[in-house]
Amino acid sequence: MDSINNHRNKLLRLFPAPVESVTLKGLYLNQQLHKLGTSSQPFVYSNFITSLEGRISLEHPQKKTFVVPKAIANPRDWRLFQELAAQADVLLTSGRYIRQLAQNIAQDILPISEQPAYADLIQWRQSQGLAPQPAIVIVSDSLNIPIPETLLNANRPLYVATGSEANWLRAQELKAKGIQVIMAGTGLLVEGQKLIAALGQEGFTTIYSVAGPGVLKTLLAAQRLDRLYLTHALRILGGEPFDILVEGEQLDPPADFKLHSLYYDAVEEEKPGQIFGVYESVVSKMPGDKG
Ligand SMILES: NC(=O)c1ccc[n+]([C@@H]2O[C@H](COP(=O)([O-])OP(=O)(O)OC[C@H]3O[C@@H](n4cnc5c(N)ncnc54)[C@H](OP(=O)(O)O)[C@@H]3O)[C@@H](O)[C@H]2O)c1
């Protein structure tokens, strides 16, 4: 039996009360994120898996690049990742991830996976009137993005978001491939407010960042992240250097959250468990917010 349907895997909802057993399949899909945003106020969320000491990546043993550690990535968290993607009408990814895709060392092609295990999610999108796959926005200041053919032929809208001082020639090359280029910043970098406003104008209401610390910080600094999904794998890895959720300058003001929900995934006895935490931004003014 696979790890999603294995009944020895016990998933407990710890918050909100009462504590009770819940099933993994549908856990995040049932949150109906696709109904929370509007084009004037898109709903923006992101997710990460971290080791118990907070690492989000380690160096790939052969290639000189950082990837999500194999020791914490797991199919149960991956199922939830796919459920989050299933509700999005656009995914934010990074120039770096596209370079990894082109080198064949990315974790996976961008969701939603077309593997049979996720066919229910593609059907679910259809039943909700959503496009078969979310659009993709690649955030990049260098515009050094070798877009793989698989992505160009994937029949999903492709955008690149960059700052207005980005390399003009590279922007034209991308446009010539049918990619829409969004200028969402006054310098080289993309600014969170401008990016989300521009995507809202494109008609997107549900925006999922599957990128890493750079894009997360861009969203947090602009106070444009509504919800953070964080899986803590209960395993300590060690290693150098220390890659965490956000890097660089301190956020001013800090980004504050409230607990939305918390689950303990006991997995099988001989394996480490994991905690699924869902955190709601305190500044978020989404429908249903109490603040
Ligand atoms: N554990 C997890 O759940 C998880 C999730 C995601 C990522 N990660 C890890 O995090 C590490 C970094 O991932 P990542 O590179 O995809 O994420 P990232 O730090 O969000 O993205 C970095 C790249 O995105 C572009 N970028 C980011 N912010 C930008 C801005 N404001 N304006 C313009 N461009 C911007 C730049 O692209 P250009 O270089 O093209 O200019 C930059 O090199 C990787 O090791 C990855 O494995 C872990």
Side-chain angles (χ1 to χ4, degrees):
M1 190 177 286
D2 64 47
S3 72
I4 311 292
N5 296 306
N6 187 343
H7 301 301
R8 284 193 298 152
N9 291 324
K10 288 260 180 301
L11 181 61
L12 278 183
R13 187 185 63 217
L14 305 177
F15 182 88
V19 173
E20 65 183 21
S21 254
V22 290
T23 49
L24 185 85
K25 227 173 171 176
L27 189 73
Y28 285 172
L29 199 62
N30 292 340
Q31 293 187 2
Q32 309 248 2
L33 305 182
H34 63 309
K35 296 189 175 159
L36 297 183
T38 61
S39 50
S40 57
Q41 185 75 355
F43 183 76
V44 187
Y45 57 108
S46 186
N47 98 302
F48 285 83
I49 182 167
T50 79
S51 64
L52 195 50
E53 81 268 37
R55 278 189 169 74
I56 61 161
S57 62
L58 280 174
E59 194 164 19
H60 187 284
Q62 281 87 42
K63 321 268 176 180
K64 282 198 168 19
T65 186
F66 281 76
V67 292
V68 175
K70 271 208 162 53
I72 56 171
N74 67 87
R76 290 171 68 78
D77 175 66
W78 197 246
R79 166 76 200 184
L80 295 181
F81 172 75
Q82 297 286 339
E83 289 195 3
L84 290 175
Q87 298 168 77
D89 46 17
V90 60
L91 305 179
L92 302 182
T93 185
S94 71
R96 186 207 62 92
Y97 192 78
I98 299 301
R99 290 191 287 278
Q100 282 197 341
L101 256 188
Q103 286 177 271
N104 258 333
I105 45 173
Q107 202 174 9
D108 204 352
I109 186 81
L110 288 157
I112 302 157
S113 167
E114 285 173 356
Q115 298 288 318
Y118 307 106
D120 64 309
L121 297 179
I122 294 182
Q123 276 163 17
W124 178 87
R125 283 180 72 84
Q126 268 170 3
S127 72
Q128 302 297 313
L130 301 172
Q133 289 283 349
I136 292 171
V137 175
I138 304 162
V139 182
S140 172
D141 54 292
S142 71
L143 296 189
N144 172 19
I145 354 181
I147 316 262
E149 286 295 316
T150 45
L151 210 50
L152 287 172
N153 300 330
N155 201 20
R156 51 203 289 191
L158 272 183
Y159 296 78
V160 166
T162 192
S164 53
E165 287 180 11
N167 186 302
W168 184 85
L169 201 59
R170 286 185 178 165
Q172 297 310 310
E173 284 166 7
L174 290 164
K175 284 183 191 169
K177 291 184 175 153
I179 296 161
Q180 301 184 60
V181 177
I182 295 177
M183 298 293 180
T186 46
L188 269 179
L189 291 179
V190 166
E191 294 158 34
Q193 275 301 352
K194 290 193 168 75
L195 174 64
I196 301 307
L199 294 179
Q201 277 166 17
E202 289 292 313
F204 296 122
T205 62
T206 317
I207 302 174
Y208 178 26
S209 175
V210 295
V215 174
L216 182 71
K217 187 145 185 209
T218 303
L219 296 170
L220 291 174
Q223 302 192 321
R224 283 310 284 114
L225 187 84
D226 296 301
R227 212 178 271 181
L228 179 63
Y229 290 81
L230 204 51
T231 298
H232 299 273
L234 302 186
R235 197 169 230 186
I236 296 181
L237 298 176
E240 290 283 344
F242 198 84
D243 250 359
I244 57 170
L245 284 195
V246 282
E247 287 154 14
E249 282 172 23
Q250 257 183 272
L251 283 166
D252 183 19
D256 297 337
F257 293 85
K258 285 202 164 108
L259 185 61
H260 171 281
S261 40
L262 191 68
Y263 305 89
Y264 175 50
D265 189 26
V267 201
E268 294 163 43
E269 262 169 40
E270 63 282 8
K271 293 192 178 153
Q274 54 193 343
I275 304 257
F276 302 131
V278 184
Y279 305 94
E280 193 114 62
S281 165
V282 170
V283 291
S284 165
K285 286 281 170 279
M286 300 309 303
D289 274 7
K290 304 206 171 54

